[in-house]
Amino acid sequence: MLGTRLGELLQDTPEGVGEALGLVTGFDDALAHGFARLGEDRSAALAALAGALAATPLGGPVGEAVEKIRAGSVSDEHLVALAGGRAALFGAAHDALLDRLDTALGRSRPAWRPPAAEDGEVPGNLLGGCRVWLRELAITGWRGVDHDLVTASDQTLEALLSAPRLRGLAVLLDGLAAELRASCPVGTMERLPVRRWADLWTRGLLLSQAGAWDGGAEPVSGRLLILGTEVHEHSTVVRAQVHAILEPAGGAPPRLVRASVAAAKVDTITGPAVWRLLGGYPVLLGALAGHRTLEITDMPLLAGGDLVWQEERAVAGEPADPFATARILLGRASPAAVPPLDRHPVRISEPVLVEGYTTGGGAFDLGGAAIDVDVDRLPSCGPLTPEMVAASSSCLGLLRWDGGRWLLRPMAVLTTVKRKPVAAHNGDWALGPTDPKAAKAEARAGDGVAVLRERAGRLLRK
Amino acid sequence: MDAERAAWERCSVVRVLPPVEPRKLAKVPFVELADGRLQGVVSSGSDIARVYVSSITAGTHTYDCSTNNNRPCGALHGSPCKHLRLLADEAVLQYGIDRVARYLRVEASGDDDLMSCLNGHPERTPSAVVFSRFLRHLAYLEVPGSTAPMAELHWFPAAGAVG
């Protein structure tokens, strides 16, 4: 059944997505070379982007920005207009793709309703510092980036990390800076991740205007049934994003939600050791490792479907198998609307249960329709391996879209190891590895966090 | 090949930094390939409050080692001291020899001993810069956790296994 529905999804790309992303490619090429020396072709690419938006409310500002930048004036105001234009094209592509996905899965997604504005100040000087760096990058272009330009972001980034309300921006720019630093001098690289870096630049610039756009939250209570965990990380951050179904107290229909816990880290803390950095969330981690439900009381839920996790508002409940949860509830759970500025294909990550497939060539064949499985990015802090995925019969995963194709990223599999049936979930090792081999390897590596904390205690506050 | 490159360049999620291997941090808590150098911090074997700042410059392969108070390492006489050797060993563990050799622009691979492939000489480098990068590195462990939705992390999936 899912096979037929996925077949429709995989058949072709929605109309207009290719054209929209073609305009983005022109923009990204201009950003790779720098707005300071656009040349005729790249000027024309920016003009094409402005032309495509001409009939929209962004038409005026983007058109003016392109004119000014072609004339050699690169101001913050013009750059944010361009970033907005690029984001709008991705927004349109996102909507078309997500609509196709919702149709295939039979999910009915509510329209976006702006939440009550959240009050709270954001440090304007830090946002200004970010805009300065992003402007320098845009003027120079990726190909011109050198150590000095990367290092110029250091002080701003350091201050940014201590501003809780700007954490997302800090994590994003820190990740970009680390990639640029490792790629210096960028001009000598054989290939440039132009789409990726332009995405990060765009989102960074939008976040640098007034901070994040999470908005106000509503308190929710009920039973939380975990579907699975996706791990996000770069050198200096790790985040467990838990996908779950909320059965609201009072009997309202079930809802798809996410709960996220993140910790700062350093590059040498890898593998199962990263869970120790998330030790401040024992209730959530305990439920992941023990496959239990959670009872939550007045937990804040943002309009985009994200719970703002608070340990003291959750208690562990009875055991629950995520595969059973998916079979019984996933078809009925309603997804959340997407915050307007988050509308980018990369954010599409819809939980699905896939069964009855054959595996081969890095894909699941669901009776005619084959979907590529993203086994390259299985988290090293969990038990899943490419071999387990290849031998699996059921998979709880996230449907994603990138580079013109749909992908399934596994969160859990039912599989066979040494002829025995095994269930493996990304969050199984949240309280430490349950596999003796992995536990031994972790013990051998020693407690890096403790070593660094000792060094910090001795050297940092002198 | 060109088509493959174009497809890669048009993906939002591609791996730019390869995942690093886990290693013990007790002797060499900090190693990085940055600022055109292999640089890091080596804990003193005799004094727990002292660390050495060691670095090898890419291309020229000149090297330096000094304490965090900027006193030259006593063991550095025309040839690399044990701190530099430890630094090189741990860098190879962390990044793999290919990546370190490529960064330093040196011919070395497989089981080669990295230090014996270099023929630079001692040359002072600003150790304060490296030491402050180490302190900044340590400071990450003091940054509080976050439960914000941070959609930007969708661009940073798990690094995956070391390949």
Side-chain angles (χ1 to χ4, degrees), chain A residues 218-281:
Chain A
E218 54 160 328
V220 292
S221 302
R223 187 164 74 143
L224 200 59
L225 294 118
I226 291 168
L227 289 166
T229 307
E230 184 176 28
V231 177
H232 300 141
E233 65 181 328
H234 63 53
S235 323
T236 57
V237 71
V238 60
R239 191 256 294 264
Q241 184 161 67
V242 179
H243 290 260
I245 293 173
L246 171 69
E247 286 183 325
R255 304 165 75 164
L256 271 170
V257 296
R258 289 177 302 268
S260 306
V261 291
K265 72 174 194 81
V266 295
D267 55 352
T268 43
I269 311 291
T270 60
V274 299
W275 291 110
R276 296 191 206 182
L277 296 171
L278 297 169
Y281 309 102

Side-chain angles (χ1 to χ4, degrees), chain B residues 3-70:
Chain B
E4 203 175 296
R5 190 181 94 172
W8 186 85
E9 292 190 336
R10 281 170 203 178
C11 284
S12 293
V13 177
V14 289
R15 191 185 275 129
V16 178
L17 291 175
V20 303
E21 279 286 357
R23 60 179 186 85
K24 289 184 185 175
L25 302 178
K27 282 183 187 156
V28 185
F30 179 55
V31 170
E32 66 170 359
L33 299 169
D35 304 332
R37 291 184 291 267
L38 162 60
Q39 55 193 23
V41 166
V42 182
S43 294
S44 159
S46 53
D47 179 354
I48 47 169
R50 188 193 301 159
V51 292
Y52 290 88
V53 176
S54 310
S55 65
I56 301 166
T57 303
T60 62
H61 305 156
T62 52
Y63 49 84
D64 190 24
C65 184
S66 60
T67 69
N68 47 325
N69 299 324
N70 215 15

Side-chain angles (χ1 to χ4, degrees), chain A residues 17-261:
Chain A
V17 169
E19 289 83 348
L21 298 190
L23 291 166
V24 168
T25 300
F27 175 97
D28 294 353
D29 181 48
L31 194 57
H33 284 81
F35 290 157
R37 45 199 157 91
L38 275 179
E40 256 330 289
D41 287 357
R42 296 186 183 102
S43 289
L46 289 192
L49 184 140
L53 294 163
T56 75
L58 279 170
V62 174
E64 191 192 324
V66 171
E67 279 314 310
K68 288 282 160 58
I69 286 172
R70 287 172 83 164
S73 147
V74 185
S75 72
D76 282 4
E77 180 197 350
H78 301 139
L79 288 177
V80 75
L82 280 186
R86 186 181 183 277
L89 289 170
F90 273 110
H94 164 276
D95 291 356
L97 290 162
L98 191 60
D99 182 58
R100 189 64 83 82
L101 177 59
D102 284 342
T103 306
L105 297 177
R107 281 183 194 165
S108 113
R109 193 174 299 270
W112 174 255
R113 285 213 320 253
E118 192 186 12
D119 40 45
E121 286 287 306
V122 287
N125 58 328
L126 291 181
L127 294 177
C130 296
R131 291 197 300 269
V132 168
W133 186 57
L134 291 166
R135 186 179 62 217
E136 286 307 310
L137 288 175
I139 291 172
T140 309
W142 306 123
R143 289 187 193 286
V145 170
D146 58 12
H147 287 294
D148 289 344
L149 184 44
V150 179
T151 306
S153 68
D154 280 0
Q155 274 191 336
T156 299
L157 278 177
E158 212 168 317
L160 211 53
L161 278 163
S162 55
R165 295 175 52 83
L166 298 178
R167 187 61 173 278
L169 175 60
V171 156
L172 177 141
L173 295 185
D174 209 14
L176 174 60
E179 291 185 6
L180 292 173
R181 188 184 301 279
S183 306
C184 276
V186 177
T188 63
M189 284 175 83
E190 281 168 30
R191 54 181 189 177
L192 283 185
V194 284
R195 171 69 45 85
R196 172 180 180 76
W197 285 351
D199 276 358
L200 296 176
W201 180 87
T202 302
R203 189 168 173 95
L205 197 60
L206 295 179
L207 283 167
S208 302
Q209 303 306 305
W213 40 76
D214 300 334
E218 54 160 328
V220 292
S221 302
R223 187 164 74 143
L224 200 59
L225 294 118
I226 291 168
L227 289 166
T229 307
E230 184 176 28
V231 177
H232 300 141
E233 65 181 328
H234 63 53
S235 323
T236 57
V237 71
V238 60
R239 191 256 294 264
Q241 184 161 67
V242 179
H243 290 260
I245 293 173
L246 171 69
E247 286 183 325
R255 304 165 75 164
L256 271 170
V257 296
R258 289 177 302 268
S260 306
V261 291

Side-chain angles (χ1 to χ4, degrees), chain A residues 292-317:
Chain A
R292 289 184 174 274
T293 62
L294 289 155
E295 296 291 334
I296 58 172
T297 309
D298 293 333
M299 187 81 80
L301 177 67
L302 298 168
D306 289 282
L307 292 166
V308 183
W309 191 255
Q310 297 178 359
E311 284 277 302
E312 63 279 11
R313 296 184 188 275
V315 288

